[in-house]
Amino acid sequence: MSSIFHQTVLTALISGGIVAGVPLMLTAIGETISERAGVLNLGLEGMMLVGAYVGFIGAYYGHSSWIGFALGAIGGMIACSFMIVLCVWLGLDQIVVGIAITLAGEGITSVLQQAQFGTSYPRLGAMAEVHIPLLHKIPVVGPAVFEQHLLVYLGVALVFVLVWVFRHTNVGLNLRAAGEKPEALDAAGVGVIGTRSYAVLCTGALAGIGGAYLSIIGAGVFTPFMTQGQGYMAIVICMLARGRPAWVLVASFLFGICLSITTALQLAGINISTDLVNMLPFIAIMVALVLFGRRSYLPPALAIPYVRGAR
Amino acid sequence: MSAIPVRETLPMVDEPLRPQRSRTAARAIDLLMRSLVPVVLALVAGGILLVILGRDPIQFYSDIWHGGVQQGSWQDSAMRMAPLLLIAIGLIFVFRANIWNLGYDGQFLLGAAVLSGLGPSLVTHVPLWLAMTILFLVAACVGAAWTLVPAGLKAVYETNEIITTLMMSFIGVGVANILVKGPFQDPTVNIPQTKVLPLDKMLPAIPGTRIHCGVLVAVFAALVAYYVLTRTSFGLRIQVLGANPRAARHVGVQVRKLIVSSFLVSGALIGAAAAADILGVWGYSRANWNPAYGDTVIPFVFLARLNPLAVVPFIAFYAVLSTGGDLAAQNANLPTDFMLVLVALILLFMTLIEFVGRRRELGQSYLPEGLREVFRKPLMKRRPVGSQEAA
């Protein structure tokens, strides 16, 4: 059993956890923004897939991961513009539209993938990593944590920026008010619709980048339905973190490690059923919900469209 | 706000002036329009999408008609209806209570795995009718059991059931795969799948057709569900719970019990859907098999306004669409996932049409106030409308 704690295995576990955790983190951060603003975004799965596909196309033809991420963000924003128009502007049911966006995202990316590449799945080469000087020489942790794509560090930085935005800026206050008590925000002279719109737009962009990371760096290939429920996991992470970005960071990497544990165990020479391992993060979530669920917090105005003057 | 009450009273003043019959007729036409227009719009939009992809939409839709209705393929469509209809009714039970059971995949596949694991040995030991009944019940129990955790969490802690059912669904799919690859795998073949039921030990066909009698079970379930939901106190309690949980508690409904029981009914029906599909059509379960019936059923459940009888024609329509869609997609060299796009379009147009209809009923403009202002004066810096009244 000592082989589990072998250096390479631990390195693989941590770095796999980061690679699997970053898309979750980006998406969950996005969901945090829109949930705090009072929009329950169930279309994350679809937005991630659109981002993954568009981002992959960008990186494949543009030969640069950054073009891919930029296009992925745009793709996510286009997917979530349906959410903005239908749910935020017109006040339609957020759950139904979210399901529709997920279904459409799944369908359209699969159709486009086949129209573009037939049944072949072209692969991208490995993307450039940043080696942070000195730190990447630390044993075990060094190669795992400090030799990642630049986006990983930008994403982590974004989390802390967001903590600051929520706590110390007017924008953050507006976002929170839009979810806690939209009437108050409206009375203060700030448009609820506008606030929620840009919150959802951020969500779409972040989910798109998360999806793009999944296809460009995580897998190096786009396959239909490749997110496998990660959009929903992001929603759960966001709910467990109770809307606090720093907790989103911790939770996503824990779930990332759950997701990547298969490969690490295979490196250690332990073979257990992939089905069982794939269930681990979901079982972890259920256990977490049973234990802590009663204390999970959601903004009171979540999923309720804002109509001025309505009671 | 002073403007709102005026709007609400206007149609009431209007009502006695109109003759009774024309009002019900108009209402029926309105309902029909609201249900059919989204489907038509989605098909048109799907056609435009096909043109963009360089495919011939007319060819595509005629292929659907060809593969879904003509030359006896209507019988395949009818068989496809059985699981879809049972899932739809299962969803109606919870959606009426405003509970979101989105864990249908896990409930369905787990039921399918368990019953196709037990089935082959059971049918050799007991008479066919008894075996079929037992298998239906087993699948229903498995499906119901899989809703227990989300139901309990929702009832006791008010945990959001969308999340818990989805998580349980992923776990259920995993457990189903483990069962099919492990204890239930047919040792004589290399592929991970269960033993195949012999053809004469499956659900018997309706005389004169190939259609298995699981379809009759599904239609019967729709009738029973209609009766239960509209004519019994259980149905009424579900309706009250869905309309307003606080009001339900206030009038003495045992909300916790009702949440759990509506979840159980829903899970049982979804499990029964698995039984109808496995015992009627497939005869075995494969690992990593997921027809994802539930996803595609959802729009039709809403189009039918959560009415178990009205959902039947919609499900029939979708059964034709999906049976014929397999052929049409193959001919057009598209993945069958194109059907998901069509379903999503139906959902989107449905919410839009619903919005327009609700606005018209209230005699309001089709656009919300703020948005109307945006269109009227796009470049003006806007002041909140009526904010002084809100204070």
Side-chain angles (χ1 to χ4, degrees), chain B residues 22 50 100 159-160 163 166 180 207 215 226 249 288 290 302 378:
Chain B
S22 81
L50 282 168
W100 293 84
T159 313
N160 188 324
I163 302 302
L166 277 171
V180 172
V215 182
Y226 182 76
R249 196 167 289 133
N288 299 325
N290 186 356
F302 289 125

Side-chain angles (χ1 to χ4, degrees), chain A residues 45 49 103 106-107 109-110 222-229, chain B residues 337 340:
Chain A
E45 185 91 1
L49 275 168
L103 289 179
E106 285 173 351
T109 50
S110 163
F222 178 83
T223 47
F225 303 96
M226 69 182 299
T227 47
Q228 290 179 324
Chain B
D337 301 326
L340 283 182

Side-chain angles (χ1 to χ4, degrees), chain A residues 5-81:
Chain A
F5 300 105
H6 196 272
Q7 254 191 5
T8 48
V9 176
L10 274 183
T11 308
L13 187 66
I14 297 173
S15 101
I18 290 175
V19 169
V22 164
L24 279 178
M25 180 192 75
L26 289 169
T27 315
I29 280 289
E31 178 71 9
T32 305
I33 298 175
S34 82
E35 274 198 16
R36 286 223 115 170
V39 181
L40 177 66
N41 198 335
L42 277 189
L44 282 184
E45 185 91 1
M47 295 175 196
M48 277 181 94
L49 275 168
V50 171
Y53 176 74
V54 179
F56 175 80
I57 293 292
Y60 185 69
Y61 291 109
H63 303 289
S64 154
S65 55
W66 293 107
I67 296 180
F69 291 134
L71 282 179
I74 293 171
M77 289 203 263
I78 292 172
C80 81
S81 62

